Amino acid sequence: MPHSVTCECGRRFEMPDEYAGLHARCSDCATREWRIADDPEPIATSGKAKASLAVGACVFLGVVSGAPAVLLGRAALKEIDQSKGTLRGRGTAIAGIVLGVFGCLVTIPLLLLPQEAVEASWRGQCVNNLKQIGLALHNYHAVNGCFPAAAIVDKEGRPLLSWRVAILPLLESEDLYERFHLDEPWDSPHNLGLLNLMPSCFACPSDETLKPGATGYRAVLGGAFTSDFKPLRFADFPDGTSNTLFVGESLQAVPWTKPDDLAVGGGLPLHGLGSRHDDGFNALLVDGSVRFLKNAIDPNVLSALITRGGGEVISSDGY
């Protein structure tokens, strides 16, 4: 008489009475067991193993931390073990775990860095940005016999584009410079389309409020850059190039292509200069050096630094 039995997979079926007491499998499980024994190659690679390796690889791109790769790799190994040979990918999962562990070892110490150390790094990058800008301004003078005017102007003398656009060829961005229509204003449909291509040296990393295409590096008109957009030469700095401010940081960011610099006075503290750094801001001097000026700087000293021919005497410890 047939009797009902249950396979290890949970499926119920009928078997003849003479097989009572024997280990029984349904037809599907028996076929799968035969298939694995006859052909030891697994059916597929674990998806978790693939994901672990992919996430681990992303660690090197700085996209994610290493923890997800480790967790996915462990889950993949467990899944492979429980598959009874139907899944492969053990090596892939282990590789993902290794990359993930490496990523944790790299990223966790960075996360534990004191904020002061992070800010010091950002401030150093800001100094390098201004030095790069200063070198481009000096190279512009070497090529043209003068520094750029505060703005590229049209035939009527109206400002169209910032001095930052004028120095692009000296910042290894000649291709970008050639894409500008120099006879159109910064916000013409064509030139506005180039706004988000701003070179990285125009963005201070400490200012996380900057929008794409905006810069806080601005000149103070009336000093090294004239408000009537006339270019100057080294001979036009009787106070000395080491005593005249060229470009400084400002908390009032502007589109980098826009001819919009700070005015002397302007009704703003520090003539509008300032930064996200603690206690002060970086300033590029005409000689190419970069100094950190404190927010508490004597207003008279700052004014003397801005003017190029005021005849003021500035001591070496005055700022």
Side-chain angles (χ1 to χ4, degrees):
M1 175 182 294
H3 66 278
S4 178
V5 296
T6 302
C7 176
E8 59 186 13
C9 70
R11 181 178 178 182
R12 298 183 63 82
F13 58 96
E14 301 292 327
M15 289 192 67
D17 189 57
E18 60 264 26
Y19 293 105
L22 296 179
H23 182 67
R25 289 190 177 89
C26 67
S27 58
D28 289 342
C29 289
T31 301
R32 183 168 65 251
E33 184 176 83
W34 167 83
R35 179 179 176 182
I36 293 173
D38 186 63
D39 183 5
E41 282 296 319
I43 296 173
T45 300
S46 167
K48 291 186 177 67
K50 294 179 181 178
S52 174
L53 182 60
V55 174
C58 287
V59 170
F60 288 94
L61 301 177
V63 178
V64 295
S65 67
V70 175
L71 296 176
L72 282 169
R74 292 181 60 185
L77 291 177
K78 183 177 180 181
E79 182 182 59
I80 292 169
D81 289 340
Q82 293 177 344
S83 73
K84 297 182 179 181
T86 62
L87 287 177
R88 60 188 174 190
R90 183 177 296 276
T92 302
I94 293 173
I97 292 173
V98 170
L99 291 174
V101 170
F102 174 80
C104 289
L105 293 175
V106 171
T107 57
I108 289 177
L110 291 177
L111 294 174
L112 297 178
L113 277 176
Q115 183 60 34
E116 293 81 1
V118 175
E119 166 55 26
S121 174
W122 286 345
R123 188 167 128 183
Q125 181 58 52
C126 179
V127 171
N128 289 334
N129 287 348
L130 284 170
K131 285 185 176 181
Q132 189 174 349
I133 292 170
L135 180 60
L137 288 165
H138 276 231
N139 287 337
Y140 184 98
H141 191 291
V143 172
N144 299 282
C146 62
F147 291 114
I152 298 172
V153 298
D154 62 15
K155 295 179 180 179
E156 285 72 36
R158 291 174 298 207
L160 301 176
L161 293 159
S162 169
W163 56 268
R164 288 175 287 268
V165 175
I167 65 172
L168 283 176
L170 292 313
L171 289 172
E172 299 183 355
S173 298
E174 188 169 3
D175 289 345
L176 176 57
Y177 176 78
E178 291 177 350
R179 293 176 63 181
F180 277 93
H181 290 176
L182 302 181
D183 58 347
E184 297 178 3
W186 72 277
D187 56 353
S188 70
H190 174 82
N191 288 339
L192 200 59
L194 304 174
L195 187 64
N196 287 343
L197 301 180
M198 182 180 80
S200 60
C201 66
F202 289 135
C204 173
S206 289
D207 194 347
E208 298 179 285
T209 67
L210 283 177
K211 297 179 180 179
T215 181
Y217 296 136
R218 302 172 70 186
V220 181
L221 300 181
F225 288 94
T226 66
S227 56
D228 57 1
F229 310 119
K230 291 183 178 179
L232 300 175
R233 301 167 299 168
F234 278 116
D236 296 318
F237 294 88
D239 282 351
T241 57
S242 62
N243 291 321
T244 307
L245 187 147
F246 218 165
V247 176
E249 293 187 85
S250 174
L251 290 172
Q252 298 175 313
V254 297
W256 73 281
T257 57
K258 184 178 181 181
D260 185 1
D261 288 290
L262 301 167
V264 175
L268 296 172
L270 298 174
H271 304 286
L273 296 167
S275 76
R276 302 289 173 183
H277 307 305
D278 293 333
D279 303 324
F281 56 93
N282 287 314
L284 170 69
L285 303 183
V286 177
D287 67 353
S289 64
V290 177
R291 304 295 179 86
F292 187 75
L293 305 183
K294 293 186 176 296
N295 292 330
I297 187 173
D298 185 330
N300 293 324
V301 172
L302 181 58
S303 295
L305 285 171
I306 291 174
T307 60
R308 68 178 186 278
E312 305 94 344
V313 177
I314 306 174
S315 63
S316 58
D317 58 353
Y319 55 91

